[in-house]
Every structure is written in C-alpha cells, then in structure tokens.
Amino acid sequence: MQLDQATTEQLRDWETSLTQEYQQFKASGLNLDLTRGKPSAEQLSLSDSINEILNSDLSNESNTDLRNYGGLDGIPECKRLFAGVLGVKPEETLIGGNSSLTLMYMAVQFGLYQGFGDLAKSWNSEGRTVKFLAPVPGYDRHFSVCEHLGIELVPVALKDDGPDMDAVEQLLKSDPTIKGIWCVPRFSNPTGTVYSDQVVDRIAQLGKIASDNFRVFWDNAYAVHSLSNDAPELANLMDSCRKYGTEDSVYLFGSTSKITYAGAGVAFAGMSKANLKAFTHHLGMSQIGPDKINQLRHVRLLKDADGITEHMRQHAAVLKPRFDIVLKHLREGLGGTGMASWNEPQGGYFVSFDTLPGLAKEVVKLAAEAGVKLTPAGATFPYGKDPANSNIRIAPSVPSLEEIDRAMAVFVTCVKLASVKQRLS
Ligand code: PLP
C-alpha cells in the first residue's frame, strides 16, 4: 500500500500489525550486524595462497634484496600492476604500505603544512580556514581526516553521475580557501555511484579554475570491485588531465584492502611525475622503505590485469548473493510504498538507503532495539549531520546469507513502522 494514500483507519491497522511483528522480532533475541564495510572471512580466504606463494624465492625484476631498506616508491613490477588499476603510468605510481587512508592522510598533511613541497604555498600559510568539498553522502573517514586536521568540510550533492559539478565549479570560483575535493569515482561509498565520462572530464579541468595548490583526492578504492560483468566503466582521469595540462592537480589512490587482505594488502597512489618526486621525498621523512616482500607476494598472486579481473570475479561470486538478498527485501517490502528509496549498486560494498525525511535515526534505533546493528545515521555526512536525517548505509559483506535475510526482514519492518507512525503523528 502507498503510504500517502492510506486512510487514518488503514494507517492505525497497519501500525498495530507492524508493532506486533516488531515485538516478535524483539523477543527473538537477534544479534545481527550490518555495519561493517570489510571483506568476510570467505573473501579473505580467496587470497590465502599468498602466504606460501614466495616459497623463499625473492627474485625480482631489479634484483634488489627485498629484505632490506629502500625502494621507497615501490618495486617496478608492483608499480606496473597497480598503475593499470589507477589508469596512470608506472612512472607515475607509488606503492605504499597496507593502507591507502594513510597515504591520503599524508597527502592532505603535505598540502596543509608543506604546500606539496613548496612551503610558500602551504595551505595554512594563507592564514585562513582551509576547506574541502565533500560530495554527500560520502565516506566518513575522508571527513574525519579533514576534521582531525582542522579542515572545514563543505558538502556538495552527489548526483547519479557524480558530484554536482555546477555547484563544485561555482564554489571553487568564488572561494579560494577550498583546497581539495574528495572523490570516490567508481562504486562510491556508500551510494555505488560511478562518475560519468562528462563528470570525470570536468573534474580534470578543476585545476584550471582553482589555485595551483588545489588537489582532487581521487580515492578509487573500489576501482575493480564490480558485482557483474556489465558494470559501468570509469573514464581515465589522468588522460583527461593530460588533455588540459592539469596533471599536477590530482592525487589518485587505491589499495588491495578489498582485493587480498584488508589488514595486509598494499596501497598505491598515482600522480604526476613532479608530484611523485615531492611526495616521495615527504614520505622519506617518515620511513626508509615499505614492505617490498608484500609487494612481491601481491605481484605473484595477482600477476596482471587479467589476474585481478579473475580474482575479483571470485569476490563478486561471494558478494553478489548478499546484495541480492538486501535488494529483494527492499523491493518486496518497500517497493511502491513511498516510504523509502535506495540505490541498486553494480559494485562496491554498500547499499545506500534513504528513509522519508527525519526518520533515519529512529529506524537505526528501532533496529538496534530489535538486535540489528546499523551504521549510525548521519555517518555518511560531515560532522555526522545528515540535514535530512534520512540516509542509512547498509553493509552486507560480512554477515552470512541467512543473517542478512533475517536482518533485512527486521530492517524493513522498522522502516515501515517508523513511516506509518510519522504519518499518523
Ligand atoms: N576509501 C574508501 C572509499 C573506503 O571505503 C575504504 C574502506 O572502507 C578505504 C578507502 C580504506 O582503504 P585502506 O584500507 O586502503 O586504507
């Protein structure tokens, strides 16, 4: 039934039956968790051969002793492998430790305090609050990097084809204190959005509008994480930048956290040769060299672009049925009710769900009281504040199929109950 067409009497009946259903869930002592955007044990096991793969053979392309210090920007074969994921040249690639978030944090710090190698251009030397554009809903840890470093976040809407570029361009033209923008261009967290070719092309031109110490933080965390073979591709940002001469305005990031091991993968970054030289120097102040043995293990496991595609197909086989259950519950339980909207992602790790305005916190609370843990409402917005109080991030990778099935039944009931109660109030 459509919520806004129900009579008061129908709504009251609905409320009674939903309350009964909800109380039954509550009494059944559930303990389910849809919060964790991390790979399941089954997914991690897909890479377990990485532990034996070297078999004491540390021979590598440049014949260096990988057990020793050095190789700050990574071993050549690993650069080649992940340059392809980011769509840059191997000589524009840096391989880091196990976390791309660390590289992103360091890059933001580098701009803030060191002006990307030109102290006179450090953001904080301008003596004004530094700002970043934050497409919303977005990834909470991007926001916390900025919050931690005292950078103000300016939300811009994330549309179906990427950030609202009219707003982005307008803001950049009118406010020189905006020094960066966060982008998750393929299967973004949490909406699953893939930026269109036109949006990628406009982002490549931001370096012409903004000051020369502005950077696009292009976090391609889900670059190869399709759930189906026909998922949309992403245009190549660096190629567009070459067209406009804006290569220095972008930093690209990625990692194998959701390809091999989230806790023991490799992170990588792509940037112009000038940026790479400066950033590597900066990195060298905090370490003498990364774990090159892990880099070699990753090359032996994944081999090449085809190897990555095949490996990701195995991940999709584990993940896709989980997403299917979530979507089945949403379609069957809430489709046509006018109570909610959600995305149907073709990759990534999340389903982004919107309640009617003002209900996300209530739904999360109701679900928690019935034993289903959801990501706190607001987490997908800077400072934890969703102005519409409607977005909820659903992360189905870790629970079993049966657990997702039960958790989603509870979730749908909570959404319906909260919506009917709101309509009656
Ligand atoms: N970027 C995005 C968009 C993510 O969703 C995540 C993890 O959920 C990360 C980065 C974390 O990456 P890493 O494990 O390489 O630090």
PDB file of all heavy atoms in Angstrom, residues 45-82:
ATOM      1  N   SER A  45      39.807 -15.558   2.436  1.00  0.00           N
ATOM      2  CA  SER A  45      40.393 -16.868   2.130  1.00  0.00           C
ATOM      3  C   SER A  45      40.739 -17.022   0.654  1.00  0.00           C
ATOM      4  O   SER A  45      41.571 -17.862   0.290  1.00  0.00           O
ATOM      5  CB  SER A  45      39.425 -17.994   2.542  1.00  0.00           C
ATOM      6  OG  SER A  45      39.192 -17.914   3.916  1.00  0.00           O
ATOM      7  N   LEU A  46      40.116 -16.221  -0.206  1.00  0.00           N
ATOM      8  CA  LEU A  46      40.418 -16.306  -1.644  1.00  0.00           C
ATOM      9  C   LEU A  46      41.887 -15.994  -1.923  1.00  0.00           C
ATOM     10  O   LEU A  46      42.424 -16.370  -2.961  1.00  0.00           O
ATOM     11  CB  LEU A  46      39.548 -15.316  -2.438  1.00  0.00           C
ATOM     12  CG  LEU A  46      38.038 -15.534  -2.424  1.00  0.00           C
ATOM     13  CD1 LEU A  46      37.316 -14.363  -3.077  1.00  0.00           C
ATOM     14  CD2 LEU A  46      37.701 -16.843  -3.147  1.00  0.00           C
ATOM     15  N   SER A  47      42.516 -15.305  -0.986  1.00  0.00           N
ATOM     16  CA  SER A  47      43.915 -14.890  -1.202  1.00  0.00           C
ATOM     17  C   SER A  47      44.898 -15.670  -0.343  1.00  0.00           C
ATOM     18  O   SER A  47      46.074 -15.324  -0.289  1.00  0.00           O
ATOM     19  CB  SER A  47      44.063 -13.392  -0.897  1.00  0.00           C
ATOM     20  OG  SER A  47      43.224 -12.644  -1.735  1.00  0.00           O
ATOM     21  N   ASP A  48      44.433 -16.716   0.306  1.00  0.00           N
ATOM     22  CA  ASP A  48      45.306 -17.387   1.280  1.00  0.00           C
ATOM     23  C   ASP A  48      46.582 -17.966   0.677  1.00  0.00           C
ATOM     24  O   ASP A  48      47.576 -18.124   1.380  1.00  0.00           O
ATOM     25  CB  ASP A  48      44.536 -18.483   2.033  1.00  0.00           C
ATOM     26  CG  ASP A  48      43.735 -17.901   3.190  1.00  0.00           C
ATOM     27  OD1 ASP A  48      43.977 -16.723   3.535  1.00  0.00           O
ATOM     28  OD2 ASP A  48      42.862 -18.605   3.727  1.00  0.00           O
ATOM     29  N   SER A  49      46.562 -18.266  -0.622  1.00  0.00           N
ATOM     30  CA  SER A  49      47.788 -18.836  -1.198  1.00  0.00           C
ATOM     31  C   SER A  49      48.936 -17.822  -1.161  1.00  0.00           C
ATOM     32  O   SER A  49      50.092 -18.188  -1.349  1.00  0.00           O
ATOM     33  CB  SER A  49      47.537 -19.329  -2.627  1.00  0.00           C
ATOM     34  OG  SER A  49      47.222 -18.233  -3.448  1.00  0.00           O
ATOM     35  N   ILE A  50      48.603 -16.545  -0.900  1.00  0.00           N
ATOM     36  CA  ILE A  50      49.652 -15.521  -0.831  1.00  0.00           C
ATOM     37  C   ILE A  50      50.666 -15.846   0.274  1.00  0.00           C
ATOM     38  O   ILE A  50      51.812 -15.416   0.216  1.00  0.00           O
ATOM     39  CB  ILE A  50      49.014 -14.113  -0.607  1.00  0.00           C
ATOM     40  CG1 ILE A  50      49.945 -13.026  -1.128  1.00  0.00           C
ATOM     41  CG2 ILE A  50      48.624 -13.874   0.830  1.00  0.00           C
ATOM     42  CD1 ILE A  50      49.300 -11.651  -1.212  1.00  0.00           C
ATOM     43  N   ASN A  51      50.235 -16.628   1.252  1.00  0.00           N
ATOM     44  CA  ASN A  51      51.132 -16.918   2.364  1.00  0.00           C
ATOM     45  C   ASN A  51      52.261 -17.878   2.007  1.00  0.00           C
ATOM     46  O   ASN A  51      53.294 -17.890   2.656  1.00  0.00           O
ATOM     47  CB  ASN A  51      50.336 -17.474   3.552  1.00  0.00           C
ATOM     48  CG  ASN A  51      49.410 -16.426   4.119  1.00  0.00           C
ATOM     49  OD1 ASN A  51      49.839 -15.304   4.367  1.00  0.00           O
ATOM     50  ND2 ASN A  51      48.136 -16.755   4.278  1.00  0.00           N
ATOM     51  N   GLU A  52      52.044 -18.706   0.996  1.00  0.00           N
ATOM     52  CA  GLU A  52      53.096 -19.655   0.608  1.00  0.00           C
ATOM     53  C   GLU A  52      53.730 -19.293  -0.721  1.00  0.00           C
ATOM     54  O   GLU A  52      54.671 -19.920  -1.170  1.00  0.00           O
ATOM     55  CB  GLU A  52      52.527 -21.079   0.462  1.00  0.00           C
ATOM     56  CG  GLU A  52      52.176 -21.771   1.770  1.00  0.00           C
ATOM     57  CD  GLU A  52      50.779 -21.422   2.237  1.00  0.00           C
ATOM     58  OE1 GLU A  52      49.893 -21.319   1.372  1.00  0.00           O
ATOM     59  OE2 GLU A  52      50.582 -21.219   3.443  1.00  0.00           O
ATOM     60  N   ILE A  53      53.193 -18.270  -1.362  1.00  0.00           N
ATOM     61  CA  ILE A  53      53.494 -18.056  -2.773  1.00  0.00           C
ATOM     62  C   ILE A  53      54.966 -17.740  -3.045  1.00  0.00           C
ATOM     63  O   ILE A  53      55.490 -18.087  -4.108  1.00  0.00           O
ATOM     64  CB  ILE A  53      52.560 -16.951  -3.336  1.00  0.00           C
ATOM     65  CG1 ILE A  53      52.314 -17.176  -4.809  1.00  0.00           C
ATOM     66  CG2 ILE A  53      53.076 -15.556  -3.067  1.00  0.00           C
ATOM     67  CD1 ILE A  53      51.033 -16.525  -5.301  1.00  0.00           C
ATOM     68  N   LEU A  54      55.646 -17.146  -2.109  1.00  0.00           N
ATOM     69  CA  LEU A  54      57.042 -16.780  -2.381  1.00  0.00           C
ATOM     70  C   LEU A  54      57.971 -17.979  -2.268  1.00  0.00           C
ATOM     71  O   LEU A  54      58.987 -18.046  -2.967  1.00  0.00           O
ATOM     72  CB  LEU A  54      57.500 -15.673  -1.423  1.00  0.00           C
ATOM     73  CG  LEU A  54      56.844 -14.308  -1.649  1.00  0.00           C
ATOM     74  CD1 LEU A  54      57.412 -13.278  -0.690  1.00  0.00           C
ATOM     75  CD2 LEU A  54      56.999 -13.830  -3.074  1.00  0.00           C
ATOM     76  N   ASN A  55      57.615 -18.895  -1.397  1.00  0.00           N
ATOM     77  CA  ASN A  55      58.401 -20.104  -1.234  1.00  0.00           C
ATOM     78  C   ASN A  55      59.905 -19.798  -1.194  1.00  0.00           C
ATOM     79  O   ASN A  55      60.708 -20.435  -1.901  1.00  0.00           O
ATOM     80  CB  ASN A  55      58.048 -21.065  -2.390  1.00  0.00           C
ATOM     81  CG  ASN A  55      58.406 -22.478  -2.055  1.00  0.00           C
ATOM     82  OD1 ASN A  55      58.647 -22.794  -0.889  1.00  0.00           O
ATOM     83  ND2 ASN A  55      58.481 -23.330  -3.080  1.00  0.00           N
ATOM     84  N   SER A  56      60.244 -18.788  -0.445  1.00  0.00           N
ATOM     85  CA  SER A  56      61.638 -18.331  -0.267  1.00  0.00           C
ATOM     86  C   SER A  56      62.286 -17.759  -1.529  1.00  0.00           C
ATOM     87  O   SER A  56      63.468 -17.457  -1.526  1.00  0.00           O
ATOM     88  CB  SER A  56      62.537 -19.460   0.263  1.00  0.00           C
ATOM     89  OG  SER A  56      62.042 -19.921   1.471  1.00  0.00           O
ATOM     90  N   ASP A  57      61.528 -17.645  -2.614  1.00  0.00           N
ATOM     91  CA  ASP A  57      62.098 -17.094  -3.847  1.00  0.00           C
ATOM     92  C   ASP A  57      61.817 -15.580  -3.903  1.00  0.00           C
ATOM     93  O   ASP A  57      60.713 -15.168  -4.235  1.00  0.00           O
ATOM     94  CB  ASP A  57      61.471 -17.823  -5.046  1.00  0.00           C
ATOM     95  CG  ASP A  57      61.840 -17.167  -6.363  1.00  0.00           C
ATOM     96  OD1 ASP A  57      62.744 -16.305  -6.360  1.00  0.00           O
ATOM     97  OD2 ASP A  57      61.204 -17.501  -7.382  1.00  0.00           O
ATOM     98  N   LEU A  58      62.812 -14.804  -3.584  1.00  0.00           N
ATOM     99  CA  LEU A  58      62.624 -13.343  -3.555  1.00  0.00           C
ATOM    100  C   LEU A  58      63.202 -12.670  -4.794  1.00  0.00           C
ATOM    101  O   LEU A  58      63.469 -11.473  -4.795  1.00  0.00           O
ATOM    102  CB  LEU A  58      63.257 -12.750  -2.298  1.00  0.00           C
ATOM    103  CG  LEU A  58      62.640 -13.168  -0.963  1.00  0.00           C
ATOM    104  CD1 LEU A  58      63.295 -12.441   0.194  1.00  0.00           C
ATOM    105  CD2 LEU A  58      61.137 -12.922  -0.935  1.00  0.00           C
ATOM    106  N   SER A  59      63.410 -13.483  -5.859  1.00  0.00           N
ATOM    107  CA  SER A  59      63.966 -12.876  -7.077  1.00  0.00           C
ATOM    108  C   SER A  59      62.960 -11.873  -7.624  1.00  0.00           C
ATOM    109  O   SER A  59      61.744 -12.091  -7.596  1.00  0.00           O
ATOM    110  CB  SER A  59      64.269 -13.942  -8.117  1.00  0.00           C
ATOM    111  OG  SER A  59      63.097 -14.656  -8.410  1.00  0.00           O
ATOM    112  N   ASN A  60      63.467 -10.786  -8.092  1.00  0.00           N
ATOM    113  CA  ASN A  60      62.584  -9.727  -8.590  1.00  0.00           C
ATOM    114  C   ASN A  60      63.266  -8.992  -9.721  1.00  0.00           C
ATOM    115  O   ASN A  60      64.471  -9.146  -9.941  1.00  0.00           O
ATOM    116  CB  ASN A  60      62.204  -8.777  -7.459  1.00  0.00           C
ATOM    117  CG  ASN A  60      63.399  -8.059  -6.892  1.00  0.00           C
ATOM    118  OD1 ASN A  60      63.766  -6.995  -7.344  1.00  0.00           O
ATOM    119  ND2 ASN A  60      64.060  -8.667  -5.913  1.00  0.00           N
ATOM    120  N   GLU A  61      62.473  -8.202 -10.394  1.00  0.00           N
ATOM    121  CA  GLU A  61      62.905  -7.567 -11.627  1.00  0.00           C
ATOM    122  C   GLU A  61      64.206  -6.777 -11.498  1.00  0.00           C
ATOM    123  O   GLU A  61      65.063  -6.854 -12.367  1.00  0.00           O
ATOM    124  CB  GLU A  61      61.795  -6.612 -12.049  1.00  0.00           C
ATOM    125  CG  GLU A  61      61.434  -6.743 -13.486  1.00  0.00           C
ATOM    126  CD  GLU A  61      60.202  -5.910 -13.775  1.00  0.00           C
ATOM    127  OE1 GLU A  61      60.349  -4.711 -14.054  1.00  0.00           O
ATOM    128  OE2 GLU A  61      59.108  -6.488 -13.697  1.00  0.00           O
ATOM    129  N   SER A  62      64.325  -6.047 -10.412  1.00  0.00           N
ATOM    130  CA  SER A  62      65.528  -5.206 -10.322  1.00  0.00           C
ATOM    131  C   SER A  62      66.635  -5.874  -9.515  1.00  0.00           C
ATOM    132  O   SER A  62      67.658  -5.246  -9.230  1.00  0.00           O
ATOM    133  CB  SER A  62      65.177  -3.849  -9.720  1.00  0.00           C
ATOM    134  OG  SER A  62      64.345  -4.037  -8.607  1.00  0.00           O
ATOM    135  N   ASN A  63      66.410  -7.151  -9.184  1.00  0.00           N
ATOM    136  CA  ASN A  63      67.430  -7.902  -8.456  1.00  0.00           C
ATOM    137  C   ASN A  63      67.927  -7.212  -7.203  1.00  0.00           C
ATOM    138  O   ASN A  63      69.119  -7.215  -6.924  1.00  0.00           O
ATOM    139  CB  ASN A  63      68.628  -8.183  -9.380  1.00  0.00           C
ATOM    140  CG  ASN A  63      68.428  -9.506 -10.088  1.00  0.00           C
ATOM    141  OD1 ASN A  63      67.831 -10.426  -9.508  1.00  0.00           O
ATOM    142  ND2 ASN A  63      68.875  -9.588 -11.323  1.00  0.00           N
ATOM    143  N   THR A  64      66.983  -6.599  -6.492  1.00  0.00           N
ATOM    144  CA  THR A  64      67.391  -5.984  -5.226  1.00  0.00           C
ATOM    145  C   THR A  64      67.028  -6.928  -4.084  1.00  0.00           C
ATOM    146  O   THR A  64      66.192  -7.821  -4.251  1.00  0.00           O
ATOM    147  CB  THR A  64      66.681  -4.630  -5.003  1.00  0.00           C
ATOM    148  OG1 THR A  64      65.289  -4.830  -5.200  1.00  0.00           O
ATOM    149  CG2 THR A  64      67.194  -3.569  -5.945  1.00  0.00           C
ATOM    150  N   ASP A  65      67.663  -6.716  -2.956  1.00  0.00           N
ATOM    151  CA  ASP A  65      67.373  -7.545  -1.791  1.00  0.00           C
ATOM    152  C   ASP A  65      66.150  -6.957  -1.086  1.00  0.00           C
ATOM    153  O   ASP A  65      66.257  -5.964  -0.355  1.00  0.00           O
ATOM    154  CB  ASP A  65      68.590  -7.578  -0.865  1.00  0.00           C
ATOM    155  CG  ASP A  65      68.419  -8.620   0.233  1.00  0.00           C
ATOM    156  OD1 ASP A  65      67.251  -9.014   0.491  1.00  0.00           O
ATOM    157  OD2 ASP A  65      69.422  -9.037   0.812  1.00  0.00           O
ATOM    158  N   LEU A  66      65.011  -7.565  -1.326  1.00  0.00           N
ATOM    159  CA  LEU A  66      63.752  -7.001  -0.822  1.00  0.00           C
ATOM    160  C   LEU A  66      63.668  -7.033   0.694  1.00  0.00           C
ATOM    161  O   LEU A  66      62.826  -6.382   1.295  1.00  0.00           O
ATOM    162  CB  LEU A  66      62.556  -7.749  -1.418  1.00  0.00           C
ATOM    163  CG  LEU A  66      62.453  -7.772  -2.942  1.00  0.00           C
ATOM    164  CD1 LEU A  66      61.141  -8.415  -3.357  1.00  0.00           C
ATOM    165  CD2 LEU A  66      62.553  -6.361  -3.525  1.00  0.00           C
ATOM    166  N   ARG A  67      64.578  -7.811   1.296  1.00  0.00           N
ATOM    167  CA  ARG A  67      64.545  -7.900   2.758  1.00  0.00           C
ATOM    168  C   ARG A  67      65.109  -6.645   3.400  1.00  0.00           C
ATOM    169  O   ARG A  67      64.939  -6.408   4.582  1.00  0.00           O
ATOM    170  CB  ARG A  67      65.359  -9.117   3.224  1.00  0.00           C
ATOM    171  CG  ARG A  67      64.795 -10.435   2.711  1.00  0.00           C
ATOM    172  CD  ARG A  67      65.776 -11.561   2.949  1.00  0.00           C
ATOM    173  NE  ARG A  67      67.080 -11.282   2.355  1.00  0.00           N
ATOM    174  CZ  ARG A  67      68.155 -12.050   2.509  1.00  0.00           C
ATOM    175  NH1 ARG A  67      68.090 -13.144   3.230  1.00  0.00           N
ATOM    176  NH2 ARG A  67      69.298 -11.719   1.935  1.00  0.00           N
ATOM    177  N   ASN A  68      65.785  -5.844   2.583  1.00  0.00           N
ATOM    178  CA  ASN A  68      66.468  -4.689   3.151  1.00  0.00           C
ATOM    179  C   ASN A  68      65.656  -3.402   3.008  1.00  0.00           C
ATOM    180  O   ASN A  68      64.603  -3.391   2.376  1.00  0.00           O
ATOM    181  CB  ASN A  68      67.839  -4.531   2.473  1.00  0.00           C
ATOM    182  CG  ASN A  68      68.896  -4.155   3.490  1.00  0.00           C
ATOM    183  OD1 ASN A  68      68.601  -3.457   4.457  1.00  0.00           O
ATOM    184  ND2 ASN A  68      70.112  -4.624   3.274  1.00  0.00           N
ATOM    185  N   TYR A  69      66.177  -2.328   3.578  1.00  0.00           N
ATOM    186  CA  TYR A  69      65.591  -0.996   3.419  1.00  0.00           C
ATOM    187  C   TYR A  69      65.583  -0.572   1.952  1.00  0.00           C
ATOM    188  O   TYR A  69      66.259  -1.161   1.124  1.00  0.00           O
ATOM    189  CB  TYR A  69      66.453   0.026   4.162  1.00  0.00           C
ATOM    190  CG  TYR A  69      66.252   0.105   5.652  1.00  0.00           C
ATOM    191  CD1 TYR A  69      67.360   0.215   6.487  1.00  0.00           C
ATOM    192  CD2 TYR A  69      64.989   0.128   6.217  1.00  0.00           C
ATOM    193  CE1 TYR A  69      67.208   0.338   7.868  1.00  0.00           C
ATOM    194  CE2 TYR A  69      64.832   0.255   7.592  1.00  0.00           C
ATOM    195  CZ  TYR A  69      65.945   0.366   8.405  1.00  0.00           C
ATOM    196  OH  TYR A  69      65.793   0.505   9.763  1.00  0.00           O
ATOM    197  N   GLY A  70      64.864   0.490   1.670  1.00  0.00           N
ATOM    198  CA  GLY A  70      64.953   1.114   0.344  1.00  0.00           C
ATOM    199  C   GLY A  70      63.697   0.913  -0.486  1.00  0.00           C
ATOM    200  O   GLY A  70      62.683   0.397  -0.011  1.00  0.00           O
ATOM    201  N   GLY A  71      63.774   1.368  -1.720  1.00  0.00           N
ATOM    202  CA  GLY A  71      62.649   1.211  -2.647  1.00  0.00           C
ATOM    203  C   GLY A  71      61.416   1.959  -2.170  1.00  0.00           C
ATOM    204  O   GLY A  71      60.300   1.421  -2.211  1.00  0.00           O
ATOM    205  N   LEU A  72      61.635   3.204  -1.757  1.00  0.00           N
ATOM    206  CA  LEU A  72      60.574   3.996  -1.143  1.00  0.00           C
ATOM    207  C   LEU A  72      59.296   4.078  -1.978  1.00  0.00           C
ATOM    208  O   LEU A  72      58.191   4.110  -1.446  1.00  0.00           O
ATOM    209  CB  LEU A  72      61.135   5.418  -0.918  1.00  0.00           C
ATOM    210  CG  LEU A  72      60.462   6.328   0.072  1.00  0.00           C
ATOM    211  CD1 LEU A  72      60.273   5.650   1.419  1.00  0.00           C
ATOM    212  CD2 LEU A  72      61.299   7.596   0.228  1.00  0.00           C
ATOM    213  N   ASP A  73      59.453   4.114  -3.287  1.00  0.00           N
ATOM    214  CA  ASP A  73      58.250   4.270  -4.130  1.00  0.00           C
ATOM    215  C   ASP A  73      57.729   2.936  -4.665  1.00  0.00           C
ATOM    216  O   ASP A  73      56.804   2.920  -5.473  1.00  0.00           O
ATOM    217  CB  ASP A  73      58.511   5.257  -5.278  1.00  0.00           C
ATOM    218  CG  ASP A  73      59.733   4.890  -6.094  1.00  0.00           C
ATOM    219  OD1 ASP A  73      60.485   3.991  -5.649  1.00  0.00           O
ATOM    220  OD2 ASP A  73      59.928   5.472  -7.167  1.00  0.00           O
ATOM    221  N   GLY A  74      58.330   1.820  -4.218  1.00  0.00           N
ATOM    222  CA  GLY A  74      57.781   0.516  -4.595  1.00  0.00           C
ATOM    223  C   GLY A  74      58.613  -0.206  -5.645  1.00  0.00           C
ATOM    224  O   GLY A  74      59.436   0.407  -6.327  1.00  0.00           O
ATOM    225  N   ILE A  75      58.377  -1.510  -5.772  1.00  0.00           N
ATOM    226  CA  ILE A  75      59.153  -2.299  -6.749  1.00  0.00           C
ATOM    227  C   ILE A  75      58.475  -2.172  -8.126  1.00  0.00           C
ATOM    228  O   ILE A  75      57.253  -2.049  -8.222  1.00  0.00           O
ATOM    229  CB  ILE A  75      59.308  -3.784  -6.308  1.00  0.00           C
ATOM    230  CG1 ILE A  75      57.957  -4.490  -6.206  1.00  0.00           C
ATOM    231  CG2 ILE A  75      60.054  -3.869  -4.987  1.00  0.00           C
ATOM    232  CD1 ILE A  75      58.073  -6.002  -5.973  1.00  0.00           C
ATOM    233  N   PRO A  76      59.277  -2.204  -9.199  1.00  0.00           N
ATOM    234  CA  PRO A  76      58.756  -1.879 -10.536  1.00  0.00           C
ATOM    235  C   PRO A  76      57.584  -2.756 -10.975  1.00  0.00           C
ATOM    236  O   PRO A  76      56.599  -2.258 -11.531  1.00  0.00           O
ATOM    237  CB  PRO A  76      59.956  -2.104 -11.460  1.00  0.00           C
ATOM    238  CG  PRO A  76      61.157  -2.132 -10.592  1.00  0.00           C
ATOM    239  CD  PRO A  76      60.725  -2.469  -9.204  1.00  0.00           C
ATOM    240  N   GLU A  77      57.664  -4.077 -10.698  1.00  0.00           N
ATOM    241  CA  GLU A  77      56.589  -4.947 -11.184  1.00  0.00           C
ATOM    242  C   GLU A  77      55.267  -4.665 -10.473  1.00  0.00           C
ATOM    243  O   GLU A  77      54.190  -4.817 -11.050  1.00  0.00           O
ATOM    244  CB  GLU A  77      56.969  -6.438 -11.089  1.00  0.00           C
ATOM    245  CG  GLU A  77      57.523  -6.942  -9.766  1.00  0.00           C
ATOM    246  CD  GLU A  77      59.038  -6.797  -9.634  1.00  0.00           C
ATOM    247  OE1 GLU A  77      59.515  -5.654  -9.650  1.00  0.00           O
ATOM    248  OE2 GLU A  77      59.735  -7.820  -9.467  1.00  0.00           O
ATOM    249  N   CYS A  78      55.367  -4.195  -9.219  1.00  0.00           N
ATOM    250  CA  CYS A  78      54.154  -3.876  -8.474  1.00  0.00           C
ATOM    251  C   CYS A  78      53.579  -2.537  -8.957  1.00  0.00           C
ATOM    252  O   CYS A  78      52.363  -2.364  -9.071  1.00  0.00           O
ATOM    253  CB  CYS A  78      54.488  -3.812  -6.986  1.00  0.00           C
ATOM    254  SG  CYS A  78      53.051  -3.984  -5.935  1.00  0.00           S
ATOM    255  N   LYS A  79      54.480  -1.615  -9.281  1.00  0.00           N
ATOM    256  CA  LYS A  79      54.022  -0.329  -9.835  1.00  0.00           C
ATOM    257  C   LYS A  79      53.255  -0.567 -11.127  1.00  0.00           C
ATOM    258  O   LYS A  79      52.202   0.025 -11.364  1.00  0.00           O
ATOM    259  CB  LYS A  79      55.223   0.559 -10.160  1.00  0.00           C
ATOM    260  CG  LYS A  79      55.880   1.187  -8.991  1.00  0.00           C
ATOM    261  CD  LYS A  79      56.910   2.151  -9.551  1.00  0.00           C
ATOM    262  CE  LYS A  79      57.658   2.851  -8.460  1.00  0.00           C
ATOM    263  NZ  LYS A  79      58.216   4.113  -8.903  1.00  0.00           N
ATOM    264  N   ARG A  80      53.816  -1.442 -11.956  1.00  0.00           N
ATOM    265  CA  ARG A  80      53.174  -1.724 -13.255  1.00  0.00           C
ATOM    266  C   ARG A  80      51.770  -2.298 -13.049  1.00  0.00           C
ATOM    267  O   ARG A  80      50.807  -1.904 -13.694  1.00  0.00           O
ATOM    268  CB  ARG A  80      54.036  -2.702 -14.043  1.00  0.00           C
ATOM    269  CG  ARG A  80      54.332  -2.218 -15.419  1.00  0.00           C
ATOM    270  CD  ARG A  80      55.235  -3.073 -16.250  1.00  0.00           C
ATOM    271  NE  ARG A  80      55.520  -4.397 -15.804  1.00  0.00           N
ATOM    272  CZ  ARG A  80      56.728  -4.809 -15.377  1.00  0.00           C
ATOM    273  NH1 ARG A  80      57.738  -3.959 -15.319  1.00  0.00           N
ATOM    274  NH2 ARG A  80      56.917  -6.053 -15.011  1.00  0.00           N
ATOM    275  N   LEU A  81      51.684  -3.238 -12.104  1.00  0.00           N
ATOM    276  CA  LEU A  81      50.405  -3.912 -11.850  1.00  0.00           C
ATOM    277  C   LEU A  81      49.323  -2.915 -11.411  1.00  0.00           C
ATOM    278  O   LEU A  81      48.212  -2.916 -11.953  1.00  0.00           O
ATOM    279  CB  LEU A  81      50.608  -4.977 -10.767  1.00  0.00           C
ATOM    280  CG  LEU A  81      49.405  -5.802 -10.344  1.00  0.00           C
ATOM    281  CD1 LEU A  81      48.877  -6.637 -11.505  1.00  0.00           C
ATOM    282  CD2 LEU A  81      49.766  -6.731  -9.176  1.00  0.00           C
ATOM    283  N   PHE A  82      49.662  -2.057 -10.450  1.00  0.00           N
ATOM    284  CA  PHE A  82      48.621  -1.189  -9.897  1.00  0.00           C
ATOM    285  C   PHE A  82      48.483   0.149 -10.631  1.00  0.00           C
ATOM    286  O   PHE A  82      47.459   0.820 -10.474  1.00  0.00           O
ATOM    287  CB  PHE A  82      48.805  -1.038  -8.389  1.00  0.00           C
ATOM    288  CG  PHE A  82      48.622  -2.356  -7.674  1.00  0.00           C
ATOM    289  CD1 PHE A  82      49.633  -2.902  -6.900  1.00  0.00           C
ATOM    290  CD2 PHE A  82      47.441  -3.074  -7.826  1.00  0.00           C
ATOM    291  CE1 PHE A  82      49.465  -4.130  -6.269  1.00  0.00           C
ATOM    292  CE2 PHE A  82      47.267  -4.302  -7.204  1.00  0.00           C
ATOM    293  CZ  PHE A  82      48.281  -4.836  -6.421  1.00  0.00           C
TER     294      PHE A  82
END
